[in-house]
Structures are given as structure tokens and as C-alpha cells.
Amino acid sequence: MQPEVEITKRADGNFKATVGTGDGTHHYAREGLVSLAECLQDAASVLGDEFSYATVIYDRLRIGSYPVAVMEHRAFELADELMVKLSNRRV
């Protein structure tokens, strides 16, 4: 089963990231992250080498599946890509 990384922007401008198994069960959660990129890096560190890919969900919208290594090492570029995809979906 492919893990899911669910990211939510909080009212205070910070983010919450949770990592789960796709069945609604969250195995890890962290609040107070300052950026989308930080959420991706944090989730990647939790997933480690155990998983190759994870599905990214932002504000309840399933954006796509991404390599965990990209989430960890190219988090800023991936965060920009996710925001573009999210923007295109909302138009």
C-alpha cells in the first residue's frame, strides 16, 4: 500500500502534515511547520527508505504521487510544482 502525505494550511499560516497508509489511519502528524517544502521534507524523513513513492494531498485535494527522494532532496521545487498544479485545478 502506498503511503499518503496529507498537508493542510492552518488559519495561523502554519502547516500540518500527516503521514498515513491510505486507509484513513494516520501514523505520524506534525503541526507548526512553516512551509509546504518543510512539510514535504518532514514527511520524507518519516517515510525513509521503506517507501519509494507517496501520494500527496493538499487541503483535501489529491495532487499526485511523488518519489520520496524528491520530497526530501528537492522539496522547494516540488512545493512550487504542487502549487502550480493546485492553481490549475482550481481555475
Side-chain angles (χ1 to χ4, degrees):
M1 181 174 285
Q2 185 168 304
E4 292 182 341
V5 175
E6 189 167 351
I7 301 169
T8 308
K9 189 165 186 178
R10 311 293 294 205
D12 63 3
N14 288 326
F15 293 84
K16 176 181 179 182
T18 59
V19 178
T21 56
D23 64 358
T25 304
H26 293 133
H27 297 282
Y28 174 83
R30 185 163 174 208
E31 294 190 41
L33 299 166
V34 297
S35 70
L36 182 56
E38 186 178 9
C39 292
L40 294 168
Q41 287 176 326
D42 188 60
S45 71
V46 170
L47 294 168
D49 295 332
E50 189 174 340
F51 298 97
S52 298
Y53 284 81
T55 300
V56 176
I57 301 165
Y58 182 81
D59 282 340
R60 296 189 214 167
L61 291 174
R62 190 173 303 275
I63 305 297
S65 294
Y66 297 91
V68 173
V70 170
M71 292 170 55
E72 183 176 12
H73 300 293
R74 293 187 49 234
F76 290 100
E77 293 92 345
L78 181 55
D80 289 342
E81 180 182 325
L82 293 175
M83 294 313 296
V84 168
K85 284 186 174 184
L86 184 63
S87 173
N88 290 338
R89 283 188 175 187
R90 290 185 175 165
V91 172

